[in-house]
Structures are given as C-alpha cells and as structure tokens.
Amino acid sequence: MPEPGPRSRRPAGQTRALMLEVAVERVKAEGLQLDYANIELEDLIRAAGVPRSTVFRIWPDRAAFVADLVRALFEADPGFETGFDDETLGFVEQALAGSADVASSPEEKEAALREVLRAAVAHNMAAVEDTVAWRVYRTMSAAVSSGDAVPGGEEIRALLSEIVGRYLDRMAELYRVLNAAFGLRMRPGVSERDLAVAVMATIDGMGDHRRINPELIDGPRTVALGVEGEREWHLAGIAISGIHTAFTERIAA
C-alpha cells in the first residue's frame, strides 16, 4: 500500500491509480462485502493521500468507484478470463501436445481426453476458487442476483456480463482445440459456447456448495469411466466429463 503523499498537484491519472491500488489491497485482505461497506471513499482517500476534490471529479459516488474497482480486480488476475490458472493451462497444453498423438483408437482418444479433464478440473477447482477475482465474481454475482437494491447494481451487472462473456469466448476456443485434437465435434444444435456455459454453471454451483460443506464436493471418488479403468476423480471432474460427452460426438473416420 502506498504511503500517503502530498495532496496537492497530483495528476488525476495518478490519483486514480493510487485509489485503486489501495482499494485492491484492501479487497485482497478483507474481501469485498455485498453492500461494499468496506469500500468507503473518504477512508481510501486518507489511505492513498490524494486530493478529495480530484477523487470526486473522477468518481461522483461510491458505486462508480466500485465499478472501476471490480474491473481493476479482474485485470489484475487474467487467469479468471482464461478459466484456468497458469499451471493448469500448462498441463492442458502439455497433454494436448502428447496425448492425442499417442492414442490410436477412438476409445483411447476418449480415455486420453478424460485424463486431461480429470487432472485439470481437480487442480483448477482448488487453484481458481482461492483467487481474488473469483471471490469478487461470486460476491458480485450474489449481490446482483439477490433481488435487493445494490449500489450501482446495473453497472456491476453489465460489467460482470462483459467479463463473463470474455471468459466464455476463451473457454469455447479451448473446447474447439480439445475437440479437434481428440477427434470430436459438437453435436448438432449446440456450440462450444453452449458447452462453456454448461460447464461454468456446474462449477459455480459446486463452488457454492463447497463453501457450505467442502467434503461434499471435494471428497475423492474412485470410478471407472472407460477403458482406462478406475481413477480417483474430483466430483466436478466427473460432472464436466459427462457434460462434455453429452455435448460432443465422434467425427466419423
């Protein structure tokens, strides 16, 4: 967090950056409350050491500031938009480079794809849930869908729609790559983006229940889904593997 500095002659751009920096650090430490009660402009102005008049020229009210803050939080964590953290993305890319070529029969290709999904989902459920961007997304989603009046709710809703749209586009492209690598295509009537929406909804729902009862979701399941035999799966991995199977079909040789 920056040390408070002189309040005069500070450019508006610098004031904006300092205010958002202080607020981002606060959210990292405390989270973002549904009513934004921990985001008080006067308090942040004192902490950032910036001119009050400049702040209120940039943001006329707290709702406008929170909208900029939410965007800053997501921009600071690009892993949310990709759907995977860097380590999981690296794993998927490595699997794509080798698994599809090694597998020869359709059954082996399907088994190789299941292994990619099994490992990637298990790792990502733990990694992404703990990121600031994901926690903010869940908080803001709960706020705008609660039916209660939320300061700047429509602007926050539009911002979340924009961010989630980019996330879904990125995931749809990933599914195109996975399907091509493993000899699959989407079934008539559904698209890769539909698949991304279904997967996102599943992860969201499991994430909600996970906060209430972690063992209900995270407890390992040992199950055989194909020729590869029994494997230890995260429940989300089983669900996503099933969704992917329902949405895709083999490309005829």
Side-chain angles (χ1 to χ4, degrees):
M1 183 179 297
E3 292 294 327
R7 293 175 179 268
S8 61
R9 297 183 181 178
R10 195 184 294 278
Q14 188 180 29
T15 294
R16 184 180 186 279
L18 285 169
M19 283 288 290
L20 290 173
E21 181 182 346
V22 169
V24 165
E25 291 303 315
R26 179 162 298 180
V27 172
K28 287 181 179 179
E30 302 176 5
L32 187 60
Q33 298 174 14
L34 287 175
D35 58 359
Y36 322 146
N38 59 331
I39 304 299
E40 285 289 348
L41 287 181
E42 297 289 354
D43 185 29
L44 294 172
I45 288 167
R46 287 192 294 272
V50 296
R52 185 177 184 277
S53 59
T54 305
V55 168
F56 283 99
R57 280 199 300 272
I58 299 171
W59 300 287
D61 53 39
R62 185 172 59 163
F65 178 77
V66 169
D68 266 4
L69 170 60
V70 170
R71 186 182 295 278
L73 286 161
F74 282 105
E75 288 174 350
D77 186 5
F80 180 86
E81 272 189 30
T82 65
F84 292 135
D85 63 291
D86 288 343
E87 187 174 345
T88 307
L89 275 175
F91 172 81
V92 172
E93 289 167 359
Q94 182 179 4
L96 282 171
S99 295
D101 292 335
V102 172
S104 55
S105 70
E107 291 77 17
E108 288 173 330
K109 285 183 180 292
E110 290 172 7
L113 175 58
R114 278 192 295 270
E115 180 59 22
V116 172
L117 296 175
R118 185 185 74 86
V121 172
H123 181 274
N124 207 57
M125 279 293 290
V128 173
E129 276 283 312
D130 292 332
T131 65
V132 173
W134 191 263
R135 294 200 305 271
V136 168
Y137 164 71
R138 299 302 300 142
T139 299
M140 293 292 93
S141 297
V144 299
S145 63
S146 66
D148 298 331
V150 177
E154 286 308 310
E155 190 170 357
I156 293 296
R157 187 189 303 274
L159 176 58
L160 288 180
S161 295
E162 173 197 329
I163 291 168
V164 169
R166 294 202 302 265
Y167 164 83
L168 291 172
D169 289 343
R170 175 66 182 86
M171 293 306 295
E173 180 57 32
L174 178 61
Y175 292 133
R176 287 187 192 96
V177 173
L178 282 172
N179 289 345
F182 291 96
L184 299 170
R185 65 187 176 194
M186 300 304 298
R187 295 184 188 274
V190 291
S191 67
E192 289 86 353
R193 207 169 196 271
D194 293 329
L195 174 58
V197 171
V199 170
M200 180 182 70
T202 301
I203 295 298
D204 280 1
M206 287 200 178
D208 288 342
H209 286 288
R210 187 182 189 219
R211 293 179 188 86
I212 299 168
N213 184 348
E215 183 60 24
L216 181 70
I217 303 299
D218 289 339
R221 276 76 168 177
T222 301
V223 60
L225 297 184
V227 296
E228 68 273 25
E230 289 188 345
R231 295 286 189 276
E232 187 175 283
W233 285 80
H234 189 285
L235 186 60
I238 299 173
I240 290 170
S241 178
I243 291 169
H244 190 272
T245 298
F247 275 69
T248 58
E249 62 185 11
R250 291 181 189 171
I251 298 174

